[in-house]
Amino acid sequence: MFLGSNCIALVTGATRGAGKGIALALADAGATVYITGRSQVEGDSALPGTLDATAKDINQRGGIGIPLICDHGNDDEVASVFQRIERDHGKLDILVNNALAVPDGLTLPGPFWQKPLKLQDILNVGMRSSYVAAYYAAPLLIKHGGLLVNTSSPGGRSYMHGPAYGAGKAAIDKMAHDMAVDFAPFEVAVVSLWMGLLKTERTQAVFDADPELYGEMMAMAESPEFTGRVISALAADKERMARSGKIWFAAELGAEYGLTDIDGRLPPSPRLMFGDETQFSDVVVQ
């Protein structure tokens, strides 16, 4: 899907992981991609990656990468990001709300009260930050009719990492539905995209530590770029408004668009991985 440099996109939380993969896939489509994050030099995070390195990779892939240091827990910094895009281009075609705090202890076993209280930070950078970014993006998205994507997961409907994580994912799923109502008169499509298990820096480290234990999971995992390919296809779809306000499994939407991952295969849908298929019966599959 070629979008071209006149397609202006913003991917939040794009230093590494899902955000970086999405940004690179949009670069493959030729887009101008603004990216936000906090890591300026190696060592700012325990995981590898810097914002400037992602921007360089975007440029090498054929896009235009513009890195903007931003703490999505700071509303003034978020507002500045959109002021910059307004000055540069006067519009925004794609907003991908991906920034997410991943507190230490998120994946620990046990009930929530035995885990750090800091796990609720995910309700700030993740849930609240998605609302704030959409708020500031709205005047730019409505200029020509755009696309807003919340990256999410089945954790909004199924138990995954505990109630803080689940509440955050459920909230951004509901935001997609309700924001779609408000954006409908302006031809802005809003979707929540449920990603599968991703081969990010974080999960790859876990896989590498015990490949025999995680071999089956590795075989099912998606590259972070696959989600970006789905978003590119959505952005290019002239009928995308018919998909607005809904939750989509990225793998199933990718199948509809005839997409493959970077290894040439279509990732399997995670729909049946969570035990009770009925709880996902209203998640859209067409």
Side-chain angles (χ1 to χ4, degrees):
M1 305 292 175
F2 186 73
L3 300 174
S5 61
N6 193 46
C7 177
I8 311 302
L10 168 63
V11 183
T12 70
T15 303
R16 60 186 65 86
K20 179 177 181 178
I22 291 166
L24 293 179
L26 291 172
D28 286 341
T32 296
V33 189
Y34 287 80
I35 52 174
T36 63
R38 295 183 298 169
S39 296
Q40 295 181 269
V41 297
E42 290 291 353
D44 283 352
S45 170
L47 295 168
T50 67
L51 202 61
D52 284 342
T54 298
K56 182 179 179 180
D57 288 344
I58 290 170
N59 294 332
Q60 290 176 341
R61 297 280 282 266
I64 300 173
I66 304 172
L68 300 175
I69 295 296
C70 177
D71 177 355
H72 280 271
N74 184 316
D75 293 356
D76 291 338
E77 292 188 20
V78 176
S80 294
V81 167
F82 292 96
Q83 289 164 3
R84 167 69 183 274
I85 297 172
E86 168 71 29
R87 290 195 303 270
D88 289 352
H89 301 284
K91 66 159 188 169
L92 182 64
D93 298 297
I94 304 171
L95 169 61
V96 182
N97 277 323
N98 177 74
L100 180 71
V102 183
D104 292 339
L106 180 66
T107 60
L108 289 173
F112 72 91
W113 61 87
Q114 294 178 0
K115 300 181 184 183
L117 185 59
K118 195 170 178 60
L119 262 61
Q120 51 81 34
D121 284 356
I122 206 167
L123 303 176
N124 181 29
V125 178
M127 182 184 76
R128 185 180 181 278
S129 63
S130 295
Y131 185 97
V132 173
Y135 176 87
Y136 286 116
L140 300 174
L141 286 168
I142 66 176
K143 291 290 183 70
H144 302 289
L147 171 66
L148 193 163
V149 177
N150 291 339
T151 59
S152 188
S153 82
R157 197 74 60 85
S158 175
Y159 187 92
M160 188 183 294
H161 307 318
Y165 180 88
K169 294 304 182 184
I172 61 172
D173 290 345
K174 185 62 163 66
M175 280 184 208
H177 176 273
D178 290 2
M179 288 180 180
V181 174
D182 290 345
F183 274 126
F186 305 96
E187 294 293 306
V188 175
V190 189
V191 301
S192 195
L193 202 57
W194 281 3
M195 303 180 290
L197 178 64
L198 299 182
K199 296 176 184 175
T200 64
E201 296 86 350
R202 189 183 303 273
T203 58
Q204 194 64 53
V206 174
F207 290 162
D208 291 345
D210 196 339
E212 291 187 10
L213 178 62
Y214 295 108
E216 186 175 344
M217 295 177 69
M218 289 174 65
M220 295 184 63
E222 306 168 6
S223 80
E225 294 182 39
F226 178 72
T227 303
R229 292 184 175 189
V230 174
I231 292 171
S232 293
L234 267 170
D237 187 352
K238 291 183 173 21
E239 304 300 322
R240 65 177 177 266
M241 287 303 296
R243 303 189 185 276
S244 189
K246 300 168 184 174
I247 301 167
W248 300 88
F249 281 95
E252 294 174 358
L253 196 53
E256 286 196 45
Y257 284 125
L259 303 176
T260 59
D261 206 339
I262 59 176
D263 61 3
R265 69 182 178 91
L266 175 69
S269 171
R271 177 177 291 271
L272 298 181
M273 290 178 60
F274 297 91
D276 182 5
E277 183 180 6
T278 62
Q279 64 188 326
F280 305 116
S281 60
D282 60 337
V283 178
V284 175
V285 183
Q286 295 180 341

